[in-house]
Amino acid sequence: MMTQPDVLRQIGTIARALDAISNVEFQALALTKGQYLYLVRICEQPGIITEHLAQQLRVDRTTANRAVQKLVTQGLIEKHAAKVNRKNKELFPTATGLARYPQLKRENTYSNQVALTDLSIDEAHQLAALLAKVSKRVTADWTTVKQGGHRPY
């Protein structure tokens, strides 16, 4: 009987390697510790609120709030009261933040190309579909735990 491969170690290793590379490369942009992830999402979705940003990145709101505040302090994003619920703050990139976006996007495109170098187009699409399935299951567990539930080990 074959055992399941431990793909999460490989996914984790890939994620940590890419994060470490990005942290080094984006020092010149004064972006550290994953701040680039927040800036990219805000540039791609101007007006997003912190709660939705936290959900997309699978982090808690406190972590997201700290990262957002650092980006505000650096002059890369601005907060504006939402029109519907004024307690919510919509996040928008500043001109400085938008100016950094192309380099962040180029890095992502390059990293994606490197990661998929040895795969055919069909294999790359198959991998994307399989990772989407894995992500869906992990997200369900993440949601359960974030809502106070426990996973049945």
Side-chain angles (χ1 to χ4, degrees):
M1 179 174 171
M2 287 183 58
T3 60
Q4 290 181 331
D6 191 350
V7 297
L8 295 183
R9 281 188 186 198
Q10 292 176 356
I11 291 170
T13 299
I14 294 164
R16 284 187 301 279
L18 290 172
D19 193 48
I21 291 168
S22 296
N23 282 333
V24 169
E25 290 186 342
F26 297 148
Q27 280 179 346
L29 299 177
L31 293 172
T32 60
K33 297 185 182 174
Q35 289 175 322
Y36 58 91
L37 297 171
Y38 294 85
L39 183 56
V40 165
R41 296 304 190 295
I42 294 165
C43 286
E44 291 176 348
Q45 301 168 73
I48 190 170
I49 62 172
T50 305
E51 182 178 352
H52 294 161
L53 185 59
Q55 288 171 349
Q56 284 183 12
L57 296 175
R58 306 295 186 262
V59 298
D60 60 56
R61 279 189 285 192
T62 303
T63 300
N65 280 326
R66 272 196 305 268
V68 163
Q69 192 52 48
K70 286 179 183 178
L71 292 172
V72 168
T73 301
Q74 290 174 278
L76 300 174
I77 65 168
E78 298 174 331
K79 294 181 185 180
H80 299 283
K83 291 175 179 67
V84 176
N85 182 349
R86 302 208 43 90
K87 289 190 296 186
N88 285 334
K89 300 296 182 212
E90 295 176 336
L91 308 173
F92 295 91
T94 62
T96 304
L98 281 173
R100 294 185 182 176
Y101 176 74
Q103 184 174 349
L104 300 174
K105 190 69 176 154
R106 278 193 309 273
E107 186 280 333
N108 181 76
T109 300
Y110 178 82
S111 292
N112 195 59
Q113 288 171 343
V114 168
L116 300 177
T117 295
D118 295 330
L119 301 181
S120 69
I121 290 292
D122 287 341
E123 288 171 327
H125 285 285
Q126 184 179 15
L127 177 60
L130 293 171
L131 288 173
K133 285 183 178 182
V134 171
S135 180
K136 183 178 178 181
R137 297 300 307 183
V138 171
T139 297
D141 267 8
W142 178 81
T143 302
T144 297
V145 170
K146 291 303 284 180
Q147 293 173 345
H150 296 282
R151 301 184 307 161
Y153 297 127

